[in-house]
Amino acid sequence: MQPPSPATSPLTTTAISTSERTKRFRGGQLAVDHIDLAVPPGAVYGFLGPNGSGKTTTIRMLLGLAFPTSGSAALLGVPMPDGATRVLHRVGSLVEGPAFYPFLTGTANLARYDAADRTADPATARARIEGALDRVGLLAAAGKRYRHYSLGMKQRLAIAAGLLQPRDLIILDEPTNGLDPQGTREVRALIRQIAADGITVFVSSHLLAEVEQICTHVGVMRTGRLVFQGSLTELRHTGAARVTVRTADPEAAAKVLAGLDLADPQATSGEASAVLGGVSPEQICAELVHAGIGVRGFAVTSPSLEDLFVGLTGEGFDVSG
Amino acid sequence: MSAARFYNSELRLVLLRRRNLLLLAVTAIFPLIIGIALRLAAPHPDGGNGGGPAFFSQVAGNGVFLTFIALSTLLILVLPVVVAVVAGDSVAGEAGYGTLRYLLAVPAGRARLLAVKYGVIVTFGLCATFIVSVVALLAGTVLFPVGPVTLLSGTTVSLADGLLRLLFVTLYVAAAMAALGAIGLAISTLTEHAIGAIAAVMILVVTSEVLDNVPQLAAIGPYLPTHWWLSFDALLRAPADTATLLHGLLSFGVYAVLSGSFAWARFTSADITS
């Protein structure tokens, strides 16, 4: 069954929505486990997770390349995969790296994909192809065979293919994978430009830094499940602030913190800490002094985004980039 | 309109591949080699009576027969290879490059992509078959005398009638290749390795030809995909043996429909993992 029909205007329709979407491979492995994605229109949505957490399988299902085991999904309000031929021409995509014909030039490769699109106007094909190549900075290499392209150029050509037609949504799977820092910057700048044009961008990554720099919303995957979804601000708020006390007697300090009903009190050498919760720092400080503990340092810290991601995804998440 | 554009793009892609052009060149060279060899081996215009199919001995008297000799010789291996390469590569090759996922995300439409692929396979087979006929006809005209055609049944028909029969023979062979192309397309949907698909088609052809030549298996012969390929000699009789021709065309049609259905069922329901 489809989810309740969203509003018909493309401006108010959720760009991507899935409900209980599940994919079990033939071997029985659960690759995507009941995920409910909601990508608001105009968002730059970072789809995060370690390699193997189900991101690419989710994207393949979104684009109708893989068929779901259960659940429903809609792109721009059109149910998938049934509506694939009705909606995909409004969606640009890059899935698991660029793929083109090595013996064709950049222009000929784009013309090939354009020719396959029944909604594309052949009369404007040349202008649209040149426009797309120009946009990704490949006009100078347009006549070069694809096999002679550098990795960064290949990646940009794939993005150009996604821009051949006016799009409402761009889906990019690991667009900076394998790129050097310069290539990464170029692709990131390109994504910002696309988003500035009002196109919804759904970008998957296993790199936190990338998402943190360009995204407004995030979804975090872990072993096939969507463990967090929301704006970056909302994600920051999920982290519980901790109070840390530097003292010569951490054991006693931890006891005081526990006495204040703070969660997870811990004592390490020279430090005691606990989750701040609803207790005010001033009160903790007063209690510590009252208990006769010599306080050398006192700090309230919120976890970094990095800590939050590691907490959500477990080990294996590449936070350093 | 949009389908025509996609078809043209596909055809250009196939015809621009150096490998495929080389294959067409090979189909053009073989009739020349056969013609020259026969010219050297048969110095007396009405003396020769070598082995081979019924019309082999006739070429010395009439160059038109070089076309039938070339078609029957190339049908054993060369034409099937040409078709197998393009058909086997059709879907598997795209999967191997990874371009298949992008074509479907365009969206090209799965059934539409398959139809365009098959259209181009048929066109390519038709090209290869006509190249053999035309080159053989030209070579036959240059190397041997040409005139009214004495059919296998003994009747002599005008040269124009003979050439018309040649046209039908060529179309019959092209139909056989179209059926093989459908089998190749179906096999191509099963793998991401074009070479594997091409090899599988060729193994199928050779196996069918071998089984067809085992007398003890005569009962299954008519059901083999290659059994009716050489039956075009039915057109070289007066009156033409239409029953045999219809059997052949029915066999091609059944194989094309079954393979096409299989390819469609497989391709419209399979996950694209390449």
Side-chain angles (χ1 to χ4, degrees), chain A residues 23 60 63-67 84-85 88-89 91 93-104 111-118 120-122 125 167, chain B residues 1-2 5-6 9-10 13 16-18 94 97-110 112-113 117 266-274:
Chain A
K23 174 72 178 180
R60 281 180 178 273
L63 293 170
L65 297 173
F67 293 99
T85 53
L88 284 182
H89 62 93
V91 180
S93 56
L94 190 156
V95 202
E96 269 190 294
F100 292 93
Y101 306 88
F103 47 90
L104 294 182
R112 163 73 173 162
Y113 287 140
D114 195 60
D117 186 350
R118 76 182 91 198
D121 179 5
R167 313 286 190 186
Chain B
M1 178 61 208
S2 76
R5 186 176 173 224
F6 191 14
S9 152
E10 179 70 26
L13 196 69
L16 282 179
R17 297 293 297 276
R18 226 176 306 168
E94 300 275 7
Y97 283 133
T99 45
L100 186 58
R101 63 176 183 271
Y102 284 105
L103 284 174
L104 293 182
V106 157
R110 294 192 183 215
R112 182 165 165 267
L113 177 67
K117 288 273 177 197
R266 155 89 193 163
F267 190 62
T268 53
S269 65
D271 284 351
I272 306 301
T273 54
S274 60

Side-chain angles (χ1 to χ4, degrees), chain B residues 5-86:
Chain B
R5 186 176 173 224
F6 191 14
Y7 171 86
N8 286 337
S9 152
E10 179 70 26
L11 189 63
R12 227 172 318 146
L13 196 69
V14 166
L15 289 181
L16 282 179
R17 297 293 297 276
R18 226 176 306 168
R19 179 191 69 194
N20 297 340
L21 287 179
L22 208 65
L23 285 171
L24 290 182
V26 166
T27 58
I29 288 168
F30 267 101
L32 291 176
I33 296 173
I34 296 168
I36 291 167
L38 287 172
R39 179 76 177 84
L40 295 175
H44 312 294
D46 23 39
N49 191 15
F55 38 74
F56 257 69
S57 55
Q58 306 222 28
V59 71
N62 194 336
V64 174
F65 274 92
L66 183 59
T67 55
F68 306 122
I69 292 169
L71 281 173
S72 60
T73 309
L74 267 60
L75 252 180
I76 296 167
L77 203 62
V78 177
L79 280 175
V81 166
V82 169
V83 173
V85 167
V86 172

